[in-house]
Amino acid sequence: MTQNKPKDAGKAGNGPATAPVVSNFIRQIIDADLAAGQYAGRTWAGKPGPAAVQLAGAADPARIRTRFPPEPNGYLHYGHAKSICLNFGLARDYGGACHLRFDDTNPEKEEQEYVDSIVDAVRWLGFGWEAFGDRNLYYASDYFDWMYAFAEGLIRGGHAYVDSQSAEEMRANRGTLTRPGVDSPYRNRTVEENLDLFRRMRDGAFPDGAHVLRARIDMASPNINMRDPAIYRIRHATHHNTGDKWCVYPMYTFAHPIEDALENITHSICTLEFEDQRPFYDWLLERLADAGLLARPLPQQIEFARLNLTYVVLSKRKLIQLVDEGHVAGWDDPRLPTLVGARRRGYTPEGFRLFAERIGVSKADSWIDYSVLEDCMREDLNERAERRVAVLDPLKLVITNYPEGRSETCLAPNHPQKPELGKREVPFGRELWIEREDFVEAPPKGYFRLFPGNSVRLRYGFVVKCTGCEKDAQGKVTAVLCEYFPDSKSGTAGADNYKVKGNIHWVSAAQALETEVRLYDRLFAHPFPGARREGDPEGLERNFLDDINPASLTTITAMLEPALALAEPESCFQFERHGYFVADRRDSRPGAPVFNRAVTLKDSWGKAAK
Ligand code: ATP
Ligand code: MG
């Protein structure tokens, strides 16, 4: 348990905690840093900036600063939810601030549509970037002037040079894991020559690829990332924010540490693949702080294992392929592991936050089974979803001794564990819809539902005894016939006199709401889509598309209790005995909702896969 929960933590506007906080290696680092006063005495100007700006500010009210730095080149997926919950959750729990930063240093690629969807997704998950009076939403491209100035600063300090080798020469001279690199013939250019060339690069004197600016570190370093990495390149491209102002752009490995430092970030949390970049992260920020360009203490990079989840793909490239090739109906297709898809599916922000807490963070790569996510959604939906009745595979039930034209109401609880949510009236009449599977002519052993001669309770209604059925010419059952016991109504004195083993749900046919229901299942039928399987030839890459589950969507017409006509888009319900369903936020019309299945009541995947 963390001890670092100051009274004003809520002020950071980072949403409510969902579960007791369990410590992890990142929290231990933060605890130790705070205990040592590592980040005490920092000043903050209320906005990003270099040393000159920050040092003029007041004491930073945020005890820590984290950030979530998406590149606005796609929709966020479940993996991003882990990172969002982690970064915003830490800021919330430690009385800090978490910045939402659009990492848009790469020209051409970014689009406003993605920016908007990312803002929506972070808000939807329950987090905000307002803290201590600041609105910490930033664009890395707003820092280009500083980045450029810092690059000149490195040149002046002898820490960077313009290299004019071709891309192939540079690659060949980089060396390998076992062979050191070779110094570029341009490595010893004078400061004046480097400054002149770099400025002409900036001024558009050269075509793409003619020169690059490289850090001057060590071509023999065992860490290849330290062998004079490129930090600026020429790219004649229009940027969505800065237009044609620049034709040189910083490399990600140069830009990212600077973005963190300009924003006073204390703990820069990223995924494990950046571990080898950490020495350069530190090298760069140290040089810039030594030159007086950045304020100390500097941010530290901490790596954690990314989320790998079975039965989905979490790579932007593959998600784009699924959308572009029409395997799903768009970015918000409920089967896609995007956050817009999850939202339409009926997954909840609280469910994601619970999931993030439950899987925790670690340094070791691992796979999380999809059922863990489903369980979190079930747990949350069980709490919040009112109960309703829906017949998904309707078969008519006729109560032959119930007077024609008569109807009455039964009372059904809205939530069995929450009596305070009250009861609602459901109409009852002579003709009802029941599930086709709740009737058989010849019952197998242990079958307690309807069959000729057997009695069941119509949940919240009467006990009925089956007397037979009607069939069409093909022998398919078209109606089940029964007689009811007028003194058996649930909630009345006589109800207890009837002992029956079966209890089935129903909807009154006269008032039923006939509507479209989509039964979503896992998008992939295999836990590791595209992975080689036993028996596959060695070296064969299976196409992940071949692992798509052909039954990932079944669209049906169901019979629902009439109260559901009023369901607001995005409201969630448990359809008794079936699972959790949400009124689709896109296709529902007033009075005519369409429902999506979020998750079944129990984990039925093993059975369904057979
Ligand atoms: P992709 O590799 O699919 O393009 P990305 O990591 O490049 O995704 P970004 O927009 O750069 O996407 O990611 C923003 C943040 O989300 C980064 O800090 C990244 O580490 C984090 N992130 C991305 N994928 C995952 C994941 N599967 N698990 C945890 N964090 C993730
Ligand atoms: Mg990325």
Side-chain angles (χ1 to χ4, degrees):
M1 286 289 193
T2 174
Q3 303 301 311
N4 290 287
K5 194 162 183 174
K7 280 193 290 302
D8 61 350
K11 282 188 195 153
N14 283 328
T18 34
V21 172
V22 177
S23 194
N24 57 48
F25 82 97
I26 297 179
R27 287 177 184 271
Q28 284 159 12
I29 292 172
I30 296 174
D31 289 340
D33 287 345
L34 291 176
Q38 168 85 10
Y39 294 103
R42 290 173 308 122
T43 54
W44 167 244
K47 58 180 191 231
V53 172
Q54 295 306 351
L55 291 175
D60 192 339
R63 297 176 78 214
I64 63 167
R65 284 186 190 267
T66 55
R67 84 287 174 271
F68 174 65
E71 197 177 333
N73 64 351
Y75 284 83
L76 298 185
H77 55 58
Y78 298 175
H80 294 117
K82 175 178 178 178
S83 180
I84 292 168
C85 291
L86 175 63
N87 281 294
F88 284 93
L90 288 170
R92 172 196 64 212
D93 294 343
Y94 283 95
C98 180
H99 300 188
L100 174 58
R101 178 201 308 150
F102 291 104
D103 209 331
D104 60 350
T105 53
N106 202 357
E108 291 175 322
K109 275 195 172 170
E110 288 85 12
E111 282 181 38
Q112 189 61 36
E113 176 193 351
Y114 299 130
V115 169
D116 295 342
S117 79
I118 290 167
V119 163
D120 280 353
V122 177
R123 283 247 185 264
W124 179 70
L125 281 174
F127 299 105
W129 38 88
E130 300 81 5
F132 310 101
D134 303 321
R135 181 172 180 271
N136 296 301
L137 185 148
Y138 302 113
Y139 290 84
S141 58
D142 285 338
Y143 311 150
F144 280 159
D145 284 327
W146 287 318
M147 290 179 187
Y148 178 83
F150 289 4
E152 284 205 355
L154 287 182
I155 293 174
R156 275 196 208 89
H159 302 302
Y161 63 97
V162 174
D163 196 357
S164 310
Q165 295 181 98
S166 68
E168 296 81 67
E169 287 168 324
M170 257 184 266
R171 205 172 303 124
N173 288 337
R174 189 173 298 132
T176 64
L177 284 175
T178 51
R179 187 166 49 80
V182 176
D183 284 1
S184 163
Y186 305 100
R187 198 171 193 264
N188 292 317
R189 278 174 163 156
T190 63
V191 168
E192 291 67 36
E193 196 183 348
N194 281 317
L195 273 181
D196 173 60
L197 277 169
F198 188 49
R199 287 174 184 167
R200 281 158 59 205
M201 283 167 65
R202 175 199 59 192
D203 295 339
F206 307 111
D208 289 2
H211 308 281
V212 293
L213 186 70
R214 295 178 75 175
R216 197 164 185 279
I217 311 178
D218 177 9
M219 288 304 292
S221 171
N223 181 344
I224 292 181
N225 298 297
M226 296 296 273
R227 293 182 189 171
D228 293 7
I231 58 179
Y232 253 97
R233 65 198 162 126
I234 303 171
R235 192 87 189 80
H236 291 271
T238 302
H239 187 279
H240 78 105
N241 181 24
T242 55
D244 293 323
K245 176 176 175 190
W246 297 96
C247 64
V248 287
Y249 289 95
M251 305 297 285
Y252 178 84
T253 47
F254 175 79
H256 201 88
I258 292 175
E259 293 158 21
D260 286 343
L262 291 170
E263 291 181 20
N264 251 22
I265 299 302
T266 55
H267 300 84
S268 174
I269 299 163
C270 63
T271 43
L272 279 178
E273 64 269 26
F274 293 99
E275 197 163 15
D276 289 346
Q277 294 288 354
R278 182 159 24 106
F280 179 69
Y281 185 103
D282 292 337
W283 180 94
L284 175 65
L285 295 186
E286 285 295 338
R287 295 298 166 291
L288 295 172
D290 284 348
L293 296 169
L294 288 175
R296 292 182 193 274
L298 296 166
Q300 58 173 312
Q301 175 178 308
I302 302 170
E303 309 86 17
F304 73 106
R306 67 192 296 116
L307 171 66
N308 295 312
L309 195 61
T310 60
Y311 294 100
V312 294
V313 293
L314 294 179
S315 128
K316 249 176 233 164
R317 184 180 58 78
K318 289 178 179 167
L319 294 177
I320 288 170
Q321 198 180 343
L322 287 167
V323 173
D324 284 354
E325 294 179 6
H327 302 287
V328 293
W331 283 106
D332 64 353
D333 188 301
R335 292 167 294 178
L336 216 55
T338 54
L339 295 180
V340 277
R343 184 169 176 177
R344 269 190 79 196
R345 172 98 179 228
Y347 285 7
T348 62
E350 294 80 1
F352 275 109
R353 299 207 297 263
L354 182 62
F355 177 65
E357 285 292 342
R358 193 161 288 172
I359 61 176
V361 290
S362 82
K363 272 271 184 197
D365 254 321
S366 67
W367 284 81
I368 303 293
D369 196 84
Y370 197 79
S371 62
V372 177
L373 178 63
E374 290 178 322
D375 276 342
C376 290
M377 296 305 162
R378 270 188 204 106
E379 252 181 75
D380 181 55
L381 287 164
N382 180 43
E383 279 294 311
R384 72 181 55 252
E386 289 200 359
R387 274 49 173 171
R388 294 290 183 270
V389 181
V391 174
L392 302 186
D393 186 9
L395 174 63
K396 192 63 81 61
L397 180 78
V398 182
I399 305 169
T400 52
N401 64 338
Y402 194 91
E404 301 236 17
R406 186 166 125 188
S407 82
E408 61 190 291
T409 55
C410 300
L411 282 178
N414 287 324
H415 197 299
Q417 288 98 45
K418 297 187 176 182
E420 68 275 16
L421 292 179
K423 296 186 175 189
R424 65 190 187 286
E425 292 188 339
V426 288
F428 184 89
R430 180 181 159 91
E431 295 200 356
L432 310 176
W433 293 110
I434 61 167
E435 296 291 344
R436 185 164 285 277
E437 64 164 34
D438 284 342
F439 170 78
V440 290
E441 283 192 274
K445 201 166 174 293
Y447 188 93
F448 299 122
R449 290 167 278 164
L450 283 172
F451 55 87
N454 195 41
S455 294
V456 301
R457 175 166 293 283
L458 298 173
R459 185 175 280 193
Y460 316 126
F462 295 88
V463 172
V464 293
K465 180 172 187 165
C466 181
T467 55
C469 66
E470 290 171 358
K471 297 183 193 178
D472 64 14
Q474 283 74 44
K476 187 177 175 190
V477 176
T478 52
V480 177
L481 307 176
C482 67
E483 289 177 356
Y484 87 124
F485 300 98
D487 60 347
S488 67
K489 191 172 185 179
S490 293
T492 65
D496 290 345
N497 298 333
Y498 292 84
K499 302 287 177 228
V500 291
K501 285 189 171 161
N503 182 321
I504 67 172
H505 66 273
W506 51 274
V507 167
S508 172
Q511 294 90 351
L513 174 71
E514 184 174 348
T515 192
E516 179 179 324
V517 172
R518 293 96 174 240
L519 304 177
Y520 289 105
D521 209 327
R522 298 180 183 186
L523 182 55
F524 291 94
H526 191 268
F528 309 106
R532 207 178 75 84
R533 302 227 266 281
E534 218 173 308
D536 285 352
E538 196 72 49
L540 178 105
E541 264 285 325
R542 187 181 279 269
N543 184 346
F544 77 104
L545 297 173
D546 294 341
D547 288 328
I548 285 184
N549 173 12
S552 64
L553 168 59
T554 310
T555 302
I556 59 171
T557 301
M559 296 296 179
L560 276 47
E561 67 168 271
L564 284 167
L566 299 174
E568 292 289 331
E570 287 204 84
S571 51
C572 293
F573 301 95
Q574 184 196 95
F575 288 177
E576 294 193 18
R577 296 174 66 207
H578 287 303
Y580 297 97
F581 290 73
V582 65
D584 191 277
R585 62 196 288 248
R586 217 171 61 180
D587 300 334
S588 293
R589 298 287 167 264
V594 170
F595 287 92
N596 300 333
R597 182 172 70 196
V599 63
T600 53
L601 282 185
K602 291 196 197 79
D603 185 0
S604 58
W605 175 254
K607 274 187 258 162
K610 265 186 224 139

